[in-house]
Amino acid sequence: MDFRIEKDTLGEVKVPADKLWGAQTERSRNNFKIGPAASMPFEVIKAFAYLKKAAAFTNTELNVLATHKRDLIAQVCDEILNDKLNEHFPLVIWQTGSGTQSNMNVNEVIAHRAQQLSQKTFEEEPVLKENDDVNKSQSSNDTFPTAMHIAASIQLIQHTIPAIELLQKTLETKANEFKDVIKIGRTHLMDATPLTLGQEFSGYAKLLENGLKSLQQSLEPISELALGGTAVGTGLNTPKGYDVLVAKNISIFTGIPFKTAPNKFEALSAHNAIVQSHAALKQLAVSLNKIANDIRLLASGPRSGIGEILIPENEPGSSIMPGKVNPTQSEALTMVAAQVMGNDVAITIGATQGHYELNVFKPLLIANFLQSAQLLGDACISFAKHCVEGITPNYKRIEELLNNSLMLVTALNTKIGYYKAAEIAQKAHHEDTTLKQAAVALGYVTEKEFDEWVNPKNMI
């Protein structure tokens, strides 16, 4: 492999000649060979492109950066946003906790690509300097948390929230479709009083509606950006008005209403906005886990389980048992839910690592957050399209289980009292008779009264 020599404050480093990164990126690449598959998410790299472009425009407006340098920075940032330079961002999550090396990776790529666009060799005087131009008015300590919030906001707004809305609406549609299907309810996994299948599904839809509200509310604190705080939150080396103007420019480029954080010391040293928003993702994971488990239990069988609903038969379920079909979408969704709950533990611990003026678990925080947001969105779309849309009631089985339930006797509480009704249920259960037979045999009701009072349609 051909190399070129790059320099930083620690000296010379050999860098692959065909790559655009520089000395600091190469040092990180060599010093942190920890899980090469755990690359810094490209959502973060693209967020950096937005903020570097916005910073360049802001610096030019405030007369501290030349226009031609702004234009070069913006041109390269647009290439990054269009996935043209992906191969030049090789770093992993497991690096410095401030994300400094990824910030410098972006700075170096922008500077070196600008050199190419200017038709100059790397040996010639640089047209852009990584620290003095691309990183002007910035520090890794305020750019990385800003990139975190930009990436998180884009992922939630463009992917996660629409996907959850799709599943929520699909469940609402099914709730309306099943509104007249009366079935037996269950509490403690035991028979309970009747409800409709539509009512059951309406509970699922409401769970997601509540989760969506929490997630949407969490967008507000994530909209606050640390950029302008520089090293420790004081804004050292920034021109007056920079923080407000750069947030405005980021809003223009992303189409998302960002604003500068009112307190930069908090924005650099703690990440409660990420904690709060991921808590909403965890809430959704808990709800989705319940929904997926209920659906696979209701569909269990097809002949020796509950079997009250029929789910789509998407793929063979066994390599040895012919004809077996499994609730694979439920299994995938519950695995995703488990991953999100695990990610929440990592984020909680990561957020505790704010020592004095800087949190030093930033890469871990955003990597876990973005994984959760991506997985939940993907899983909700898959579950809606490949499972919920195709669910149909198993009317025969629903009626069989409904009529066989002892808990229909609850309708007699107000007629003959709880204790006599309990005696009827126990007699029917121990003697393996119907509720009606037991009630009449005990002399507590007539057949006519039983038929009139114990009617599932009047119990929902």
Side-chain angles (χ1 to χ4, degrees), residues 160 163-168 171 203-205 207-209 211-212 215 280-296 329-338 340-341 372-373 375-381 383-384 388:
T160 315
I164 297 166
E165 287 175 337
L166 171 67
L167 179 55
Q168 196 271 339
L171 288 166
Y204 306 151
L207 277 172
L208 294 193
E209 181 185 323
L212 271 170
L215 189 57
L281 292 175
K282 181 186 71 172
Q283 175 186 341
L284 282 159
V286 170
S287 298
L288 290 166
N289 194 79
K290 183 263 193 299
I291 293 166
N293 273 336
D294 276 14
I295 285 176
R296 66 171 156 187
Q329 289 295 320
S330 285
E331 291 166 1
L333 184 54
T334 50
M335 284 192 286
V336 164
V340 172
M341 292 179 220
S372 292
L375 286 176
L376 276 182
D378 290 348
C380 283
I381 292 171
F383 195 67
V388 179

Side-chain angles (χ1 to χ4, degrees), residues 29-154:
R29 197 167 74 99
N30 291 328
N31 291 338
F32 297 97
K33 294 182 177 180
I34 305 172
S39 299
M40 183 63 65
F42 270 102
E43 294 89 346
V44 174
I45 303 302
K46 290 185 176 183
F48 265 110
Y50 280 121
L51 78 85
K52 296 292 178 182
K53 181 177 178 180
F57 271 78
T58 303
N59 284 324
T60 300
E61 288 181 60
L62 297 176
N63 300 311
V64 295
L65 184 71
T67 302
H68 74 278
K69 291 185 176 183
R70 176 202 69 188
D71 293 342
L72 277 171
I73 291 171
Q75 185 176 351
V76 180
C77 287
D78 287 342
E79 289 186 350
I80 295 172
L81 292 170
N82 288 314
D83 294 311
K84 293 182 178 180
L85 302 176
N86 290 3
E87 65 179 289
H88 303 288
F89 300 98
L91 301 188
V92 295
I93 299 160
W94 317 113
Q95 54 167 278
T96 175
S98 62
T100 299
Q101 289 143 7
S102 282
N103 178 45
M104 285 307 302
N105 184 189
V106 176
N107 290 335
E108 290 172 347
V109 169
I110 292 173
H112 288 131
R113 178 56 179 155
Q115 198 78 353
Q116 288 183 338
L117 292 171
S118 301
Q119 298 183 333
K120 293 182 179 294
T121 67
F122 292 134
E123 289 73 27
E124 295 181 77
E125 181 70 19
V127 295
L128 289 178
K129 293 183 178 180
E130 294 100 324
N131 296 80
D132 293 335
D133 297 320
V134 186
N135 202 61
K136 182 177 283 293
S137 306
Q138 303 157 58
S139 162
S140 299
N141 296 351
D142 68 348
T143 59
F144 202 92
T146 297
M148 289 168 65
H149 281 210
I150 294 171
S153 297
I154 290 173

Side-chain angles (χ1 to χ4, degrees), residues 286-329:
V286 170
S287 298
L288 290 166
N289 194 79
K290 183 263 193 299
I291 293 166
N293 273 336
D294 276 14
I295 285 176
R296 66 171 156 187
L297 288 172
L298 289 172
S300 61
R303 293 190 175 181
S304 300
I306 293 174
E308 290 183 338
I309 62 173
L310 304 172
I311 58 175
E313 299 181 352
N314 295 325
E315 59 271 320
S318 173
S319 61
I320 189 173
M321 292 175 279
K324 195 173 191 298
V325 178
N326 295 329
T328 52
Q329 289 295 320

Side-chain angles (χ1 to χ4, degrees), residues 123-248:
E123 289 73 27
E124 295 181 77
E125 181 70 19
V127 295
L128 289 178
K129 293 183 178 180
E130 294 100 324
N131 296 80
D132 293 335
D133 297 320
V134 186
N135 202 61
K136 182 177 283 293
S137 306
Q138 303 157 58
S139 162
S140 299
N141 296 351
D142 68 348
T143 59
F144 202 92
T146 297
M148 289 168 65
H149 281 210
I150 294 171
S153 297
I154 290 173
Q155 184 78 306
L156 293 179
I157 292 169
Q158 295 184 359
H159 180 62
T160 315
I161 290 174
I164 297 166
E165 287 175 337
L166 171 67
L167 179 55
Q168 196 271 339
K169 294 297 182 186
T170 306
L171 288 166
E172 274 190 352
T173 298
K174 287 296 177 179
N176 185 62
E177 182 182 329
F178 302 154
K179 62 184 174 63
D180 296 324
V181 182
I182 302 172
K183 59 169 296 246
I184 198 64
R186 296 178 182 85
T187 60
H188 303 268
L189 296 181
M190 308 299 282
D191 296 350
T193 57
L195 77 168
T196 70
L197 187 60
Q199 288 171 328
E200 201 162 41
F201 271 67
S202 75
Y204 306 151
K206 186 63 177 178
L207 277 172
L208 294 193
E209 181 185 323
N210 291 338
L212 271 170
K213 286 180 182 177
S214 296
L215 189 57
Q216 288 163 339
Q217 289 168 356
S218 77
L219 290 173
E220 178 64 23
I222 289 182
S223 71
E224 296 181 354
L225 303 182
L227 203 56
T230 62
V232 297
T234 61
L236 179 67
N237 290 349
T238 61
K240 186 177 180 180
Y242 172 84
D243 59 344
V244 173
L245 185 55
V246 77
K248 178 182 176 182

